[in-house]
Amino acid sequence: MTDALTRLLATRDWLMADGATGTNLFNMGLSSGDAPEMWNIEHPDRIRSLYRAAVDAGSDIFLTNSFGGNASRMKLHGAQNRVHEMNRVAASLGRDVADVAGRTVVVAGSVGPTGEIFEPMGTMTHAVAVEMFHEQAEGLKAGGADVLWVETMSAPEEYKAAAEAAQLAGMPWCGTMSFDTAGRTMMGVTSAAMVEMVEKLPNPPIAFGANCGVGASDLLRTILGFAAHGSERPLIAKGNAGIPKYHDGHIHYDGTPQLMAEYAVLARDAGVRIIGGCCGTMPDHLKAMHGALESRPRGPRPTLERISALLGGFSSASDGTGDDAGSPRRERRGRRG
């Protein structure tokens, strides 16, 4: 029997994913430095509200509040022994919402990076990473997640470890990386290298793509890079709602609902099958995206010129794959916003 996401993809040209987790939870009162995953236990109604807002805005897929729910991250909060519980509850709260939606809605178990650097540059080993991701995957599976959603990865070693953990758990999965350093991930992966890696995996994902990063323009340039390398696997785009700005003591994303609607249509026309938002993407953004995807006819594959005209310029001259790929590196945010 096929999984819920594969069945849904077989019936639709595009699916809409959700928006931000962190941004929405901060608006509900989460304090900076606190573990959002603890709210699965402490404030389940707020987490259901987060999920429900995405479904009400038209999302076909929403991610569980489990991005940092691995032992390495939870150890920072003294909760490394509660990994299975945190993930199980994150997914079960998702089932509460999805099962009464009146339509098929996919509960995607969010799996973010460990925050550790792999050998030989760091101390993380493949075996330990697989063990951490497997523990998280088993919790999400027990809670009823339909698929695992590996996201915001920058190192190929970590992506491969998460893929192996999904296989051990017997879970279908999707996986995105974050391209935020002149068209490359923080660890130097290009769009071309990701396609090559994905197609060589023993258990490749249902869909793959990019999330977070710099802004919607850069993310769509990466998407065009995926498409140029000929993979027929469904593509995912989850771009940030504009560029982060520091305002009155907090980070604000400047992307309007109208800008995100343009981004969603451009992503669809670029061949993306699963379209959502990342940091800064609120329910109002999702509603505008859904409305545009439903009402505007499909157009030709967008050019870089059209993307920059509608969404703003690129943060670097290069997409990371050419001779001019050397550009100042920028620090990646550690948590999906």
Side-chain angles (χ1 to χ4, degrees):
M1 191 169 111
T2 56
D3 61 89
L5 178 57
T6 297
R7 292 196 299 272
L8 207 52
L9 282 166
T11 65
R12 299 269 300 281
D13 288 338
W14 55 266
L15 301 175
M16 200 172 86
D18 62 355
T21 295
T23 309
N24 285 283
L25 293 184
F26 284 130
N27 287 346
M28 293 181 189
L30 182 71
S31 297
S32 180
D34 289 347
E37 297 77 17
M38 299 294 287
W39 272 26
N40 298 330
I41 307 295
E42 297 167 358
H43 301 291
D45 287 346
R46 296 182 194 179
I47 302 307
R48 288 191 195 94
S49 177
L50 169 75
Y51 299 158
R52 195 176 298 112
V55 174
D56 290 347
S59 295
D60 302 292
I61 304 161
F62 65 81
L63 277 55
T64 58
N65 179 39
S66 53
F67 178 81
N70 58 69
S72 179
R73 292 282 187 140
M74 296 311 297
K75 187 176 182 179
L76 301 175
H77 305 279
Q80 64 270 30
N81 295 324
R82 303 182 71 183
V83 167
H84 190 280
E85 176 192 14
M86 293 289 179
N87 286 277
R88 176 183 55 77
V89 176
S92 67
L93 295 173
R95 285 261 62 94
D96 291 346
V97 173
D99 290 347
V100 298
R103 57 188 172 89
T104 299
V105 175
V106 173
V107 178
S110 174
V111 176
T114 63
E116 306 290 340
I117 303 296
F118 277 66
E119 293 181 331
M121 295 172 59
T123 58
M124 177 59 73
T125 66
H126 175 80
V128 171
V130 170
E131 182 181 355
M132 284 187 183
F133 289 136
H134 184 209
E135 180 184 25
Q136 186 175 10
E138 290 291 354
L140 291 165
K141 180 179 181 179
D146 294 300
V147 297
L148 297 181
W149 194 279
V150 177
E151 58 168 332
T152 325
M153 296 295 174
S154 64
E157 298 87 354
E158 195 155 32
Y159 195 92
K160 292 173 183 176
E164 186 172 328
Q167 187 170 32
L168 287 172
M171 288 284 285
W173 69 289
C174 296
T176 60
M177 300 187 86
S178 181
F179 296 79
D180 57 4
T181 311
R184 296 170 179 255
T185 73
M186 187 175 67
M187 302 307 290
V189 179
T190 65
S191 57
M194 184 178 184
V195 174
E196 183 178 358
M197 173 182 66
V198 164
E199 294 303 329
K200 288 181 177 178
L201 288 170
N203 62 317
I206 296 170
F208 76 97
N211 78 295
C212 203
V214 183
S217 297
D218 283 49
L219 185 133
L220 288 182
R221 182 170 64 177
T222 296
I223 292 294
L224 291 180
F226 294 145
H229 286 86
S231 173
E232 296 185 5
R233 206 170 300 283
L235 292 176
I236 300 166
K238 280 190 113 240
N240 293 340
I243 305 296
K245 311 280 187 182
Y246 191 75
H247 180 69
D248 288 343
H250 68 277
I251 298 296
H252 168 73
Y253 284 82
D254 65 2
T256 63
Q258 291 72 31
L259 179 139
M260 292 302 283
E262 293 292 346
Y263 145 79
V265 171
L266 289 169
R268 179 199 64 191
D269 293 350
V272 177
R273 299 285 308 283
I274 300 175
I275 303 160
C278 203
C279 301
T281 307
M282 308 294 286
D284 285 349
H285 295 100
L286 293 175
K287 290 173 186 173
M289 291 163 63
H290 191 263
L293 288 167
E294 286 213 313
S295 64
R296 290 169 58 173
R298 185 176 292 274
R301 188 180 297 262
T303 62
L304 293 177
E305 291 74 21
R306 179 163 174 76
I307 290 170
S308 61
L310 290 173
L311 302 182
F314 302 105
S315 67
S316 62
S318 171
D319 67 354
T321 60
D323 294 335
D324 58 345
S327 186
R329 300 179 72 84
R330 61 188 292 279
E331 185 177 349
R332 190 197 64 182
R333 285 172 301 283
R335 180 174 289 280
R336 181 172 65 89

Coordinates of all heavy atoms in Angstrom, one line a residue, residues 224 266 300-308 314:
L224 N 15.6 26.0 -10.2 CA 15.9 25.9 -11.6 C 17.1 25.0 -11.8 O 17.2 24.3 -12.8 CB 16.1 27.3 -12.2 CG 14.8 28.1 -12.3 CD1 15.2 29.5 -12.9 CD2 13.7 27.5 -13.1
L266 N 5.4 31.2 -9.4 CA 6.7 31.0 -10.1 C 7.3 29.6 -9.8 O 7.8 28.9 -10.7 CB 7.7 32.1 -9.7 CG 7.5 33.5 -10.2 CD1 8.4 34.5 -9.5 CD2 7.7 33.6 -11.7
P300 N 4.9 29.7 -18.6 CA 6.1 29.1 -19.0 C 7.1 29.0 -17.8 O 6.9 29.7 -16.8 CB 6.7 30.0 -20.1 CG 6.0 31.3 -19.8 CD 4.7 31.0 -19.2
R301 N 8.1 28.2 -17.9 CA 9.1 28.1 -16.8 C 9.8 29.5 -16.7 O 10.2 30.1 -17.7 CB 10.2 27.1 -17.2 CG 11.2 26.8 -16.1 CD 12.2 25.8 -16.6 NE 11.6 24.5 -16.8 CZ 11.6 23.5 -16.0 NH1 12.1 23.6 -14.8 NH2 11.0 22.3 -16.4
P302 N 9.8 30.0 -15.5 CA 10.3 31.4 -15.3 C 11.8 31.5 -15.6 O 12.6 30.6 -15.3 CB 10.0 31.7 -13.9 CG 9.9 30.4 -13.2 CD 9.4 29.5 -14.2
T303 N 12.2 32.6 -16.1 CA 13.6 33.0 -16.3 C 14.2 33.6 -15.0 O 13.4 34.1 -14.2 CB 13.9 33.9 -17.5 OG1 13.2 35.2 -17.2 CG2 13.3 33.3 -18.8
L304 N 15.5 33.7 -14.9 CA 16.1 34.4 -13.7 C 15.7 35.8 -13.7 O 15.5 36.4 -12.7 CB 17.6 34.2 -13.8 CG 18.2 32.8 -13.6 CD1 19.7 32.8 -13.7 CD2 17.8 32.3 -12.2
E305 N 15.6 36.4 -14.9 CA 15.2 37.8 -15.0 C 13.8 38.0 -14.5 O 13.5 39.0 -13.8 CB 15.3 38.3 -16.5 CG 16.7 38.4 -17.0 CD 17.3 37.0 -17.3 OE1 16.6 36.0 -17.5 OE2 18.6 36.9 -17.4
R306 N 12.9 37.1 -14.8 CA 11.5 37.2 -14.3 C 11.4 37.0 -12.8 O 10.7 37.8 -12.1 CB 10.6 36.3 -15.1 CG 9.1 36.3 -14.6 CD 8.2 35.7 -15.6 NE 6.8 35.6 -15.1 CZ 6.0 36.7 -15.0 NH1 6.4 37.8 -15.5 NH2 4.7 36.6 -14.6
I307 N 12.2 36.1 -12.3 CA 12.2 35.9 -10.9 C 12.6 37.1 -10.1 O 12.0 37.6 -9.2 CB 13.1 34.6 -10.5 CG1 12.4 33.3 -11.0 CG2 13.3 34.6 -9.0 CD1 13.3 32.1 -11.0
S308 N 13.8 37.7 -10.6 CA 14.3 38.9 -9.9 C 13.4 40.1 -10.0 O 13.3 40.9 -9.1 CB 15.7 39.2 -10.4 OG 15.7 39.5 -11.7
F314 N 18.9 38.7 -6.6 CA 19.6 37.6 -5.9 C 20.7 38.2 -5.0 O 21.2 39.2 -5.1 CB 20.2 36.7 -7.0 CG 19.2 36.1 -7.9 CD1 19.2 36.6 -9.2 CD2 18.3 35.2 -7.6 CE1 18.2 36.1 -10.1 CE2 17.4 34.7 -8.4 CZ 17.3 35.2 -9.7

